[in-house]
Amino acid sequence: MTDKPNFLPERLALLADLNAAQYLTEGLLSGKEDAPAIALNKTTEPLPHDGESRAELAPVRDLIDDAMYKFRDDRPTSADAWLAPRLHATLRLTRREAADRRIWNYLALGVAPDYVVWRHLVAKSEDAPPKVAARRFRGPAYTQAFARLWWAAELFRDGPDYGPVVTVCSNQDMLNTALRVDVIDHRPTAQATVRLMERGTVRTGREVNALVAAINASAATLMYDVVAPDAERDGRPLREWIEAAESAPAVPRRELPVGPYEEKTPERSVDVLVDHFAELFAGAPVRGRRDAGEETGSEV
């Protein structure tokens, strides 16, 4: 099985798509080879914030080691809900920084290829050997192993509260589907979907997919930001949170970390959309809606 890199520098870095592609060998994707750490690090570029504490590699690697140990006897999918908020709070990135695919390429190949293999090694059929999809190492934000967790935490946290992130990342269908639609960038929409999950209105993977599809389709005719306005965003709490990384301790492992002290989503706006989305879901086509015993969330 792919092992932890035998060389880890002190700082995180950027790895361009073209450079990342050359390391996505069949041996690595099948979990039979390690990433060539020394050669890989010769092709990287420094982070724009390389001189800051949040660019240190060790806290990220330690967090990933703890995730793999904590869930060593569970399904690897169980790690998502634990790791997502803690990864977000450890990296302390702006959205602009997180939109740069090169940092996620480096995390997947230069910092923790063993985690990517452990988490995403699957067999597509009984006759096919297990393999990791290349997009888990180098791919869009909604599929790349670490980008998907960071963006889930960013889009579903309620100000400093990461609780909703845990709810979303505990259901693979919500995690995999919601990140693909732009409407989730509207905070009241994101929190309303979480509320419906917490209430048990939507439970199964099919129900989650039907809900997200209905919400996205309705957004074409109903402007959610008008009927359910969000609080005006102030960039200062995020800047202060990032600056505080210079003296912040490691993120807690038992309790949830605390995010930027931004204003929470307006409760009235969330309530308006909860009622609207519940009506949408009631009329949405859900394959096997009456089937009993359907499991919550598909394994991906």
Side-chain angles (χ1 to χ4, degrees):
M1 187 68 75
T2 298
D3 204 354
K4 181 177 179 177
N6 56 17
F7 170 72
L8 290 170
E10 293 183 359
R11 320 295 290 180
L12 297 170
L14 302 174
L15 181 64
D17 277 349
L18 286 177
N19 290 330
Q22 66 181 305
Y23 302 113
L24 296 177
T25 64
E26 285 298 311
L28 178 63
L29 296 178
S30 61
K32 297 177 181 179
E33 295 179 0
D34 297 336
I38 295 177
L40 183 149
N41 277 280
K42 291 180 179 179
T43 66
T44 62
E45 304 168 56
L47 289 170
H49 54 277
D50 182 60
E52 300 176 27
S53 295
R54 61 194 178 108
E56 293 177 359
L57 185 149
V60 180
R61 181 66 229 195
D62 289 346
L63 180 66
I64 293 168
D65 284 337
D66 288 348
M68 295 177 69
Y69 181 79
K70 181 178 178 65
F71 296 96
R72 65 194 183 280
D73 297 326
D74 297 327
R75 292 182 178 181
T77 52
S78 302
D80 289 351
W82 185 88
L83 183 56
R86 292 170 177 84
L87 180 69
H88 186 276
T90 297
L91 292 173
R92 300 203 181 200
L93 301 172
T94 65
R95 288 193 178 190
R96 183 174 182 177
E97 290 167 339
D100 189 341
R101 287 168 48 132
R102 295 177 298 170
I103 189 172
W104 307 118
N105 292 343
Y106 185 72
L107 280 178
L109 285 161
V111 179
D114 53 326
Y115 169 86
V116 180
V117 171
W118 172 79
R119 170 61 184 83
H120 292 288
L121 187 68
V122 295
K124 292 186 176 181
S125 66
E126 293 183 1
D127 299 328
K131 185 177 179 181
V132 179
R135 65 181 181 274
R136 299 300 187 181
F137 285 97
R138 182 185 71 114
Y142 51 81
T143 58
Q144 204 274 348
F146 294 110
R148 67 197 286 267
L149 298 180
W150 190 93
W151 281 104
E154 173 66 12
L155 294 172
F156 285 97
R157 66 181 174 87
D158 192 8
D161 181 13
Y162 285 113
V165 179
V166 175
T167 299
V168 168
C169 293
S170 297
N171 185 299
Q172 288 299 304
D173 289 278
M174 178 59 79
L175 178 57
N176 293 331
T177 303
L179 295 184
R180 297 172 184 263
V181 296
D182 292 339
V183 70
I184 291 297
D185 191 35
H186 180 239
R187 291 201 309 164
T189 295
Q191 295 307 313
T193 60
V194 172
R195 195 74 55 83
L196 290 173
M197 293 177 67
E198 292 173 341
R199 291 181 178 180
T201 304
V202 292
R203 299 173 296 104
T204 70
R206 291 174 182 175
E207 289 175 349
V208 163
N209 292 331
L211 173 66
V212 173
I215 291 173
N216 196 46
S218 176
T221 57
L222 180 64
M223 299 181 66
Y224 295 152
D225 56 346
V226 174
V227 299
D230 194 0
E232 188 168 341
R233 304 297 292 273
D234 180 359
R236 184 174 59 181
L238 176 62
R239 291 193 300 270
E240 292 176 345
W241 184 69
I242 290 174
E243 292 169 359
E246 295 302 309
S247 58
V251 297
R253 272 31 176 186
R254 293 188 177 181
E255 63 270 13
L256 285 174
V258 177
Y261 281 100
E262 297 171 334
E263 187 173 348
K264 286 196 170 187
T265 313
E267 192 67 23
R268 181 180 179 280
S269 293
V270 176
D271 290 340
V272 167
L273 290 183
V274 165
D275 292 341
H276 178 63
F277 293 165
E279 292 180 6
L280 289 178
F281 177 67
V286 180
R287 185 164 58 92
R289 184 190 285 267
R290 295 184 178 180
D291 291 348
E294 188 179 15
E295 294 184 1
T296 301
S298 63
E299 298 296 332
V300 178

